[in-house]
Amino acid sequence: MPTIVAACQVPALKENINASLDWIERFSKKAEQKSASLVCFPECFLQGYLTNENIARKNAVNLDSASFKKMIHRLESINPIIVFGLIESDGENIFNTAVVVKNGMLLGKYRKTHLLDGERIFERGSEYPVFQNGNMKFGINICYDTQFPECSMKIAKQGATLILCPANNMMKYEMAEKFRYLHNSTRIERAKETKLWIISSDVTGEVDGRISYGPTAAINPIGQIVDQVPLLETGMITVEILDT
C-alpha cells in the first residue's frame, strides 16, 4: 500500500501562535480527508521566522512545558503525523526545530544543523533522527540544510524513503526573484543523489517588505517535480509514495 504524504503552503505569520495552530489544524484535517498519514508545514511556522534574538527568545517554547503540551493537545483528534517548524527553548539555548506530533503527542524533533548568517541566534543541531510512519521511514532537513549533501545522505543511510523539508524562503524582493526557481533545483540534486523523495513545505505572501513565492513541492527519487503548489498561493499537495 502506498503512503500518502501532504505538504502545505501557508501564509507567513509572526508572533501569532493561535493563528498558526488554526492553519495546522485546518490543513491537517484536510490532509486526513485525502487519506494522508503524514503532513508537513513550514520552518518556524508556529511563532514565525524570528531572527531578532530578544523577540525569538520571548516567543520560544520549551517542548517539555505545560504550555507546549496544551498547544499540541489541540491536534489530539487528528490522526496523521504532523511535522511543523518552531523556535525551541532548551535551557539558555534556542533552536530552529521541526517537531513530529501525532494525536497531540510529541514523537520527536529535528534541530536545524546548518545556519545562515542571520540565524546565529540559534544553536546548531547535531543529530539526524529518522521517524517511522507505518512501513515508511522519513527524516527531516530544514531549508538551508538541503544545500549540504551530507545532511540528506545521513538520512538515506538509515533506510529512509523520504526527506521532509520545512522551509521559509521569505526574502527581499530582489533575492526572492533570484532564487525563485533555485530552491527546487537544489532539492532535485539531493533527491537524485540519495534516491529519496524530497517534499518541501514553505510559506507564501508578503511581510514587512519581503516576499516568499514558495515553493511547496514533491520531488521523486529521479529528480522529477511530481506536484507543486502554485507560487504565491496557499494550498496543499498530496503525493503517493510506495513503501520500500
Side-chain angles (χ1 to χ4, degrees):
M1 291 290 292
T3 298
I4 299 177
V5 181
C8 305
Q9 189 160 290
V10 285
L13 304 173
K14 283 189 175 183
E15 298 186 84
N16 195 337
I17 288 175
N18 282 331
S20 297
L21 287 170
D22 285 344
W23 279 98
I24 291 171
E25 189 173 11
R26 177 153 57 98
F27 268 46
S28 295
K29 287 179 178 178
K30 183 177 178 182
E32 186 171 7
Q33 291 169 359
K34 294 180 177 291
S35 301
S37 61
L38 177 61
V39 55
C40 185
F41 291 87
E43 175 184 16
C44 292
F45 182 61
L46 184 66
Q47 304 102 321
Y49 185 73
L50 307 175
T51 54
N52 176 286
E53 184 169 3
N54 290 334
I55 296 174
R57 288 187 179 278
K58 172 187 170 186
N59 287 275
V61 295
N62 185 292
L63 303 187
D64 293 323
S65 67
S67 60
F68 179 69
K69 291 175 183 176
K70 182 178 179 181
M71 291 176 201
I72 61 175
H73 182 70
R74 285 182 54 173
L75 309 173
E76 182 181 24
S77 65
I78 299 171
N79 288 315
I81 293 174
I82 304 170
V83 175
F84 62 90
L86 53 74
I87 298 171
E88 176 197 359
S89 65
D90 186 1
E92 296 298 314
N93 297 320
I94 56 175
F95 296 87
N96 183 332
T97 298
V99 293
V100 182
V101 172
K102 181 171 174 58
N103 295 124
M105 301 292 291
L106 180 66
L107 299 183
K109 65 188 177 188
Y110 167 76
R111 291 168 167 172
K112 191 174 186 178
T113 57
H114 291 77
L115 301 172
L116 294 160
D117 288 342
E119 298 176 324
R120 298 304 176 184
I121 64 170
F122 301 117
E123 291 295 314
R124 290 178 52 179
S126 59
E127 299 179 353
Y128 294 88
V130 167
F131 306 93
Q132 195 80 36
N133 177 35
N135 294 323
M136 185 188 74
K137 292 181 180 179
F138 70 93
I140 301 168
N141 283 178
I142 297 177
C143 205
Y144 187 52
D145 288 333
T146 59
Q147 295 283 335
F148 303 89
E150 65 270 19
C151 296
S152 53
M153 196 59 69
K154 286 180 180 180
I155 292 171
K157 288 180 178 179
Q158 297 179 71
T161 301
L162 164 69
I163 296 173
L164 292 179
C165 179
N168 191 311
N169 285 305
M170 184 66 65
M171 300 177 177
K172 293 181 179 179
Y173 292 101
E174 183 179 345
M175 290 296 290
E177 192 62 34
K178 178 180 176 181
F179 284 94
R180 187 170 187 158
Y181 301 108
L182 294 181
H183 305 295
N184 273 344
S185 297
T186 299
R187 294 166 193 162
I188 285 169
E189 291 304 309
R190 301 291 87 82
K192 290 163 72 174
E193 290 164 358
T194 59
K195 309 301 181 190
L196 302 186
W197 283 82
I198 296 183
I199 298 179
S200 62
S201 173
D202 210 330
V203 296
T204 192
E206 299 181 59
V207 177
D208 298 334
R210 294 173 178 262
I211 190 168
S212 178
Y213 295 114
T216 294
I219 299 168
N220 69 17
I222 60 173
Q224 297 171 325
I225 300 173
V226 174
D227 201 359
Q228 179 172 319
V229 179
L231 300 181
L232 280 177
E233 294 185 17
T234 59
M236 182 179 74
I237 55 173
T238 55
V239 181
E240 289 188 359
I241 298 177
L242 293 176
D243 298 328
T244 58

